Amino acid sequence: MNIFTDIQSLRQHILNWKQQGESIAFVPTMGNLHAGHLQLIEHGKHIADRVVVSIFVNPMQFNEANDFKNYPRTFDDDRAKLEAIAVDCIFAPLEKDLYPVNQQLTTKVSVPVLGEILEGESRPGHFTGVTTVVCKLFNIVQPDYACFGEKDFQQLMLIRHMVAELNMPVQIEAVATCREADGLAMSSRNNRLNQSQRAIAPEIYQVLSSICEQIKQGNKDFSQLEHEAVATLNNSGFVADYVAIRSVADLGNPAADEVELVVLAAACLGDIRLIDNMPLSLKA
Ligand code: PAF
């Protein structure tokens, strides 16, 4: 397994593969890898000849300095995990190479409206940071495929929009959310939960499952369902940010006859923000 920090060396390495006619799957990460990341990589291995994994804790997508500072950085563990599953190459760029000028002055990619609701509303600038760094990484790696988890549903939608609207020649592959046995969606942030927070955390999954079940039984009072879910989370010890029943097409409020829905939630335990979602198809 090769590890590159330098952009030019990585490009040359990938070019050699491409000249042999090999296809490339790319899995961008911020490290602190868990089983969810490994599933993205497994998917990449199925669809392409080579898999490149990037590890970069992207400062531009953190809207709180402390969140960036506390984000777990576990490069040695990550490298061992990637070696064990025979990933072809790690790209771990340096901040000064991705943002050679002041971050504020960097050309940015943003997706209006979709990037400003839900997570975008609560974390201003977050998605511009995500789409900017993903665009930069796509330009560097030039993959045929890029794999993203459905756990970050809004992020996945934004990336699909960016790729379509900027005519990027990469196929986006979505991989289902990986969950712990009690339903908690896997996330690098879970490592920061203390024992009592960890015990409460699966309540997000319970709440999402319960909403989906009630909608399937015919309950169409979405706003009541959302309010009840927020109250349930708050009573369990979370500070809920939102529980939202939206249309899968654009994450807008669904029409009464909408059949492709997604229920999204964000809630904090202490200073740890957890997000999750559950798609729901009502198609006959
Ligand atoms: O989902 C993540 O880990 C990050 O947002 C990503 C896509 C690697 C961009 O920094």
Side-chain angles (χ1 to χ4, degrees):
M1 182 177 70
N2 291 284
I3 302 175
F4 295 97
T5 50
D6 171 59
I7 294 174
Q8 279 320 321
S9 317
L10 175 84
R11 277 199 166 133
Q12 188 52 54
H13 198 76
I14 291 175
L15 188 62
N16 293 341
W17 286 335
K18 290 197 167 185
Q19 282 169 346
Q20 310 290 320
E22 293 183 312
S23 57
I24 317 289
F26 176 45
V27 181
T29 81
M30 297 206 297
N32 198 233
L33 303 178
H34 50 67
H37 293 112
L38 303 188
Q39 279 200 358
L40 298 179
I41 294 165
E42 282 310 320
H43 183 75
K45 284 182 162 190
H46 274 105
I47 55 176
D49 300 309
R50 300 285 182 176
V51 179
V52 177
V53 176
S54 67
I55 298 181
F56 179 65
V57 184
N58 173 35
M60 199 191 274
Q61 72 188 74
F62 287 83
N63 55 319
E64 279 182 18
N66 264 342
D67 197 19
F68 177 61
K69 200 178 100 209
N70 293 331
Y71 200 87
R73 288 156 173 88
T74 51
F75 187 79
D76 290 342
D77 278 3
D78 295 341
R79 183 182 45 202
K81 284 181 185 158
L82 296 177
E83 202 135 38
I85 57 165
V87 159
D88 294 287
C89 140
I90 302 179
F91 177 45
L94 303 175
E95 189 177 324
K96 72 171 176 51
D97 290 335
L98 278 198
Y99 298 113
V101 286
N102 178 336
Q103 227 188 94
Q104 300 311 317
L105 303 177
T106 296
T107 304
K108 291 181 183 147
V109 178
S110 59
V111 180
V113 185
L114 190 55
E116 289 149 16
I117 57 173
L118 300 167
E119 282 304 286
E121 190 174 346
S122 300
R123 305 180 64 193
H126 166 65
F127 282 129
T128 296
V130 171
T131 39
T132 300
V133 83
V134 171
C135 174
K136 288 163 80 69
L137 292 167
F138 282 180
N139 285 337
I140 293 167
V141 176
Q142 300 190 11
D144 301 286
Y145 308 95
C147 309
F148 291 87
E150 282 180 357
K151 147 93 170 36
D152 295 300
F153 196 86
Q154 193 177 359
Q155 167 174 287
L156 172 64
M157 282 188 74
L158 281 158
I159 287 165
R160 284 195 192 284
H161 273 256
M162 173 185 79
V163 162
E165 286 158 20
L166 297 183
N167 309 93
M168 295 177 167
V170 53
Q171 185 171 315
I172 301 303
E173 294 282 315
V175 177
T177 304
C178 198
R179 297 184 182 279
E180 304 285 357
D182 59 10
L184 177 64
M186 289 195 190
S187 160
S188 301
R189 289 173 200 270
N190 296 352
N191 290 340
R192 294 188 50 226
L193 298 169
N194 64 30
Q195 215 178 349
S196 60
Q197 290 170 328
R198 176 63 188 81
I200 299 167
E203 187 66 33
I204 299 193
Y205 173 73
Q206 304 296 342
V207 154
L208 294 176
S209 306
S210 158
I211 290 184
C212 288
E213 202 40 52
Q214 291 183 69
I215 297 175
K216 276 196 241 163
Q217 303 294 327
N219 189 339
K220 286 287 176 82
D221 192 345
F222 293 164
S223 117
Q224 176 70 12
L225 287 168
E226 290 169 352
H227 280 108
E228 281 171 11
V230 164
T232 304
L233 289 175
N234 289 338
N235 289 337
S236 310
F238 284 94
V239 176
D241 183 2
Y242 60 79
V243 177
I245 302 164
R246 297 291 168 97
S247 152
V248 160
D250 57 4
L251 294 187
N253 287 317
D257 57 352
E258 179 65 66
V259 289
E260 297 296 344
L261 301 171
V262 56
V263 190
L264 307 107
C268 293
L269 284 170
D271 67 345
I272 305 161
R273 183 182 174 83
L274 299 178
I275 61 169
D276 198 354
N277 70 83
M278 208 168 275
L280 170 64
S281 178
L282 299 174
K283 244 192 226 151

